[in-house]
Amino acid sequence: MKKTLLAAAFGLSSLLGASAQAKYEPTEANLKSREEFRDMKLGIFLHWGIYSTFAQGEWYLQNAVPDRYEYAKAADAFYPHRFDARQWVRSFKEAGAKYICFTSRHHDGFSMWNTKQSKYNIVEATPFGRDVIKELAEACKEEGIRLHFYYSHLDWMRDDYPMGRTGTNVGKPRDKSDWKSYYSFMNNQLTELLTQYGPIGAIWFDGWWDHDEDSVPFDWHLQEQYELIHRLQPACLVGNNHHGAPMEGEDIQIFERDLPGEMTTGFAKSVAEVSRLPLETCETMNGMWGYKVTDNNYKSTADIIRLLIKTSGKGANLLMNIGPQPNGELPAVALQRLKELGEWTTAYGETIYGTDAGDVKPQPWGVTTKKDGKLFVHVLAPECLVPGDGGNPVLYLPLDWKVKSVTEFIGGAKVEYRKTSNGIAVMLPRKIEAVDYVLVVQ
Ligand code: GLC
């Protein structure tokens, strides 16, 4: 009797998808990869696809095109003759990035590799005919840069994707949806991505929110998909830009255009919870993810540096986006930013890479990071410091520590300090002008 009950229960659970109940236990390889990821601190996000030819961002199909087949004609004009994977990867590396996250397939459903699951891909549908993912994977391997893939869960092109709240005006029929077919299409594609391009650092899902307003909760069957990824590459991290707390099977927590827990963006409703998983904040360099010809509103190098410091101060990584041009080049402004960012990371990298969030929580004046018994104090807004005797700023660290020394990170000059009831008061030797003035507290 007991046996039959057990068997029945097992039968039921496998019907429901046994995996949905199984608790996810990351493997050793996965845990190691999480730690490596945590230390990397800076990645470059790349949104590149046939949408770049319209130069209106990656949502152009959804936003402006009433017929998806008219849009798809852009594939036949996609000829990025200046694309050079090595040059791209080198400029990311010189900037101090340790990984890249590339859009393998965005919401428009176009695949940027030689997939066998659909002819709507860069090798078969464009005159360019090159597998850019293969070229990027080779360049990353050569340069020691980790490769992550962005992968869209939603699809504005395919009939079998069960339509959500976007992609409703592109001429797609609603009655042809076929989840089983679409799900196996995705899993076959993921299998290709994870078996043909060497070790992949992470799969970065996006589009879950397409069904967040359904009256009956939509089941994406994530657990089974995550299991597939972990089975194919145990060290591959799974992240999902669902704007909420991490779900079972995820290895990193993603914050879109927001510092962990700050909830300053429109996705604020659910991202209050900051998990113990490795954290990543993604941000655009101008205002758009995909190339947009009218958007020249680039963040200054100083702003990008401050963002990197602030994410590090939260123990998170910064995934900084660039939208490459339709001709295959990175925009000149982006290249300039990368170069200047590289000058900063070369000088200050020790205070960023491999650090944890420091013991002093983010303050109006700046943030702290720490590594090997050193607390790095990054002063980002000196105007928020109080002036001491003689007018030079004084910085209060709310810490009850025995301090061995306080020095300037650049040059190593000793800085005066004393213990007060407000913590450690550090008397800064001068007015501060650097983008980031860093002190080392031991
Ligand atoms: C949003 C956008 C998508 C972009 C992503 C990057 O989800 O819809 O286009 O790729 O953010 O974070």
Side-chain angles (χ1 to χ4, degrees):
M1 175 67 185
K2 228 180 185 176
K3 255 189 189 161
T4 6
L5 266 180
L6 259 177
F10 182 75
L12 184 68
S13 78
S14 57
L15 252 183
L16 293 172
S19 55
Q21 271 110 59
K23 187 122 178 61
Y24 169 54
E25 288 288 344
T27 56
E28 279 299 312
N30 188 280
L31 293 173
K32 180 167 173 271
S33 162
R34 288 184 190 186
E35 288 319 304
E36 288 164 357
F37 174 73
R38 232 189 255 282
D39 288 346
M40 290 183 189
K41 292 294 185 279
L42 178 62
I44 298 293
F45 210 173
L46 294 163
H47 276 71
W48 200 42
I50 61 169
Y51 44 80
S52 315
T53 57
F54 298 105
Q56 298 293 333
E58 79 288 358
W59 272 59
Y60 186 61
L61 169 57
Q62 143 81 25
N63 291 345
V65 186
D67 182 338
R68 64 202 153 129
Y69 293 120
E70 284 301 317
Y71 172 92
K73 289 179 183 170
D76 198 37
F78 191 64
Y79 196 84
H81 59 106
R82 294 199 191 277
F83 173 68
D84 182 337
R86 265 175 201 85
Q87 236 176 51
W88 278 19
V89 172
R90 271 185 210 135
S91 42
F92 306 144
K93 189 177 173 175
E94 277 162 26
K98 307 294 180 191
Y99 65 100
I100 66 173
C101 183
F102 183 78
T103 43
S104 60
R105 175 174 143 277
H106 207 270
H107 309 333
D108 68 354
F110 189 79
S111 300
M112 294 295 279
W113 78 98
N114 189 14
T115 179
K116 293 284 165 287
Q117 312 309 320
S118 152
K119 291 201 177 312
Y120 196 43
N121 75 65
I122 191 160
V123 174
E124 285 172 280
T126 75
F128 191 55
R130 276 158 54 186
D131 184 338
V132 297
I133 285 200
K134 181 162 175 274
E135 295 179 26
L136 278 169
E138 283 164 7
C140 283
K141 187 172 173 214
E142 268 175 34
E143 298 292 335
I145 293 285
R146 213 169 268 200
L147 178 60
H148 296 186
F149 290 134
Y150 168 106
Y151 189 83
S152 175
H153 265 136
L154 73 87
D155 193 301
W156 294 328
M157 196 68 193
R158 292 175 66 93
D159 286 348
D160 58 1
Y161 168 68
M163 203 188 289
R165 63 176 164 84
T166 68
T168 53
N169 299 316
V170 300
K172 244 178 73 152
R174 272 200 187 264
D175 57 357
K176 292 211 176 125
S177 94
D178 180 345
W179 169 253
K180 245 181 108 182
S181 146
Y182 182 66
Y183 189 59
S184 73
F185 159 76
M186 285 196 293
N187 290 341
N188 290 340
Q189 281 213 316
L190 290 164
T191 303
E192 289 178 353
L193 289 171
L194 290 159
T195 54
Q196 296 173 14
Y197 300 99
I200 301 306
I203 299 288
W204 202 104
F205 287 111
D206 189 26
W208 181 94
W209 36 259
D210 199 33
H211 281 284
D212 61 3
E213 288 172 5
D214 290 12
S215 49
V216 178
F218 187 81
D219 187 356
W220 288 96
H221 293 85
L222 294 180
Q223 256 91 82
E224 213 177 311
Q225 194 164 61
Y226 293 172
E227 272 174 27
L228 168 76
I229 295 167
H230 289 136
R231 195 162 59 243
L232 293 170
Q233 291 204 24
C236 180
L237 306 176
V238 172
N240 192 328
N241 187 32
H242 46 52
H243 306 147
M247 296 177 187
E248 190 71 16
E250 292 172 8
D251 304 304
I252 59 175
Q253 186 176 3
I254 294 169
F255 297 83
E256 183 178 339
R257 293 184 166 177
D258 208 1
L259 291 174
E262 293 217 338
M263 303 203 299
T264 46
T265 67
F267 314 117
K269 50 186 190 290
S270 50
V271 270
E273 188 179 322
V274 179
S275 73
R276 297 168 68 96
L277 294 179
L279 313 171
E280 184 188 66
T281 286
C282 58
E283 220 351 318
T284 49
M285 200 180 267
N286 48 3
M288 257 289 167
W289 303 99
Y291 178 65
K292 186 173 177 186
V293 68
T294 49
D295 185 353
N296 212 16
N297 190 20
Y298 278 83
K299 292 176 181 60
S300 67
T301 306
D303 283 343
I304 298 169
I305 292 170
R306 283 192 201 104
L307 200 54
L308 172 63
I309 297 163
K310 284 184 188 170
T311 49
S312 298
K314 291 256 181 184
N317 289 7
L318 174 65
L319 183 61
M320 179 44 70
N321 183 76
I322 296 173
Q325 295 171 170
N327 69 351
E329 283 176 324
L330 303 172
V333 187
L335 280 170
Q336 177 67 16
R337 298 292 186 272
L338 290 176
K339 195 172 157 283
E340 291 169 4
L341 181 59
E343 286 160 14
W344 188 87
T345 53
T346 303
Y348 290 85
E350 194 196 326
T351 71
I352 298 291
Y353 303 116
T355 61
D356 289 323
D359 297 73
V360 179
K361 281 197 311 237
Q363 302 287 322
W365 49 257
V367 303
T368 62
T369 54
K370 67 172 174 188
K371 180 166 69 182
D372 306 332
K374 287 180 193 160
L375 182 77
F376 300 108
V377 179
H378 300 260
V379 181
L380 300 171
E383 65 278 9
C384 297
L385 298 174
V386 284
D389 310 336
N392 286 349
V394 181
L395 183 143
Y396 286 94
L397 296 171
L399 290 173
D400 185 23
W401 280 11
K402 261 203 184 138
V403 174
K404 201 166 102 191
S405 68
V406 180
T407 50
E408 290 188 322
F409 175 72
I410 299 288
K414 280 205 169 131
V415 178
E416 220 187 298
Y417 65 92
R418 66 179 135 78
K419 267 196 145 182
T420 72
S421 52
N422 291 333
I424 301 154
V426 182
M427 271 65 75
L428 300 189
R430 55 192 159 86
K431 296 230 162 36
I432 297 160
E433 270 137 30
V435 172
D436 177 28
Y437 174 80
V438 185
L439 294 167
V440 187
V441 181
Q442 301 221 44

